[in-house]
């Protein structure tokens, strides 16, 4: 892919991330670094999902849907795409962390078949706890 196109895509991704996570936006450079470090990114103008795969385990690093496009099944669809992709490379489990305060995301993950397997106290910079969730695939 031409470098200019890649930079444009990463900038668009950063803009969308800011709409989804206004209090902790990631820059285009950070997304570039994630990609370089081996993360997979699936993104459109309405949403993105980033994951990392190590042997038989995958981790959802982040997921977001444009505020105007929520409630239409986009997040479920993106998790479905991820599941198919990681199965192809031998993953049998997917992990993620989610804030105890993030009810929409917790409901989303439960609907996708994730179950709570632990809790991390004061995980986020604002002092909130994280729930550790897992799905066997
Ligand atoms: C969480 C998020 C990704 C969901 O995206 P979405 O495309 O709207 O989700 P979907 O339409 O695929 O919803 C799937 C299920 O998730 C749950 N859900 C989604 N939004 C919800 C809400 N606001 N309240 C309660 N449950 C919700 C529901 O179970 C829903 O199924 P249903 O519509 O049949 O009830 C989106 O709200 C978002 O981008 N939030 C900000 C970023 C974020 O918090 N990401 C997760 C970080 S861990």
């Amino acid at each position: 892919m031409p470098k200019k196109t890649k930079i444009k895509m990463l900038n668009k991704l950063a803009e969308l991330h800011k709409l989804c996570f206004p209090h902790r936006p990631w820059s285009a450079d950070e997304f570039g670094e994630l990609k370089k470090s081996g993360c997979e990114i699936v993104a459109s103008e309405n949403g993105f999902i980033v994951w990392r795969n190590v042997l038989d385990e995958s981790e959802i690093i982040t997921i977001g849907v444009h505020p105007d496009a929520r409630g239409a099944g986009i997040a479920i669809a993106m998790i479905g795409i991820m599941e198919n992709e990681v199965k192809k490379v031998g993953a049998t489990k997917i992990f993620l962390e989610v804030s105890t305060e993030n009810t929409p995301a917790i409901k989303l993950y439960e609907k996708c078949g994730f179950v709570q397997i632990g809790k991390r106290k004061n995980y986020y910079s604002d002092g909130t706890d994280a729930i550790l969730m897992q799905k066997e695939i």
Side-chain angles (χ1 to χ4, degrees):
M1 182 192 299
K3 199 174 174 192
K4 260 190 182 171
T5 313
K6 199 173 154 191
I7 291 170
K8 219 172 161 180
M9 281 175 66
L10 291 175
N11 281 330
K12 279 204 164 294
L13 191 51
E15 278 170 29
L16 184 53
H17 189 274
K18 192 174 180 180
L19 288 174
C20 295
F21 298 95
H23 303 299
R24 46 185 170 102
W26 292 357
S27 66
D29 283 350
E30 283 173 288
F31 276 106
E33 288 304 319
L34 282 174
K35 191 82 187 121
K36 272 190 212 157
S37 74
C39 287
E40 298 293 337
I41 302 176
V42 168
S44 71
E45 59 187 26
N46 285 326
F48 56 84
I49 182 166
V50 180
W51 72 85
R52 179 181 288 120
N53 207 75
V54 179
L55 302 174
D56 60 343
E57 293 183 354
S58 287
E59 183 187 3
I60 297 179
I61 307 293
T62 186
I63 180 170
V65 171
H66 191 294
D68 295 343
R70 289 182 189 162
I74 292 174
I76 287 200
M78 293 194 299
I79 290 173
I81 291 170
M82 177 210 171
E83 270 187 44
N84 285 337
E85 291 303 312
V86 301
K87 268 186 201 165
K88 286 185 207 162
V89 293
T92 58
K93 285 177 189 157
I94 304 176
F95 294 93
L96 61 88
E97 276 126 10
V98 58
S99 165
T100 49
E101 308 290 305
N102 195 345
T103 306
I106 294 169
K107 295 268 177 226
L108 162 70
Y109 299 135
E110 285 173 349
K111 185 154 191 179
C112 290
F114 285 82
V115 292
Q116 180 172 342
I117 55 164
K119 207 168 185 179
R120 299 194 199 281
K121 283 289 218 189
N122 301 315
Y123 184 76
Y124 297 102
S125 51
D126 64 0
T128 50
D129 300 339
I131 298 172
L132 179 61
M133 301 184 90
Q134 177 194 297
K135 178 176 183 182
E136 305 219 356
I137 54 173

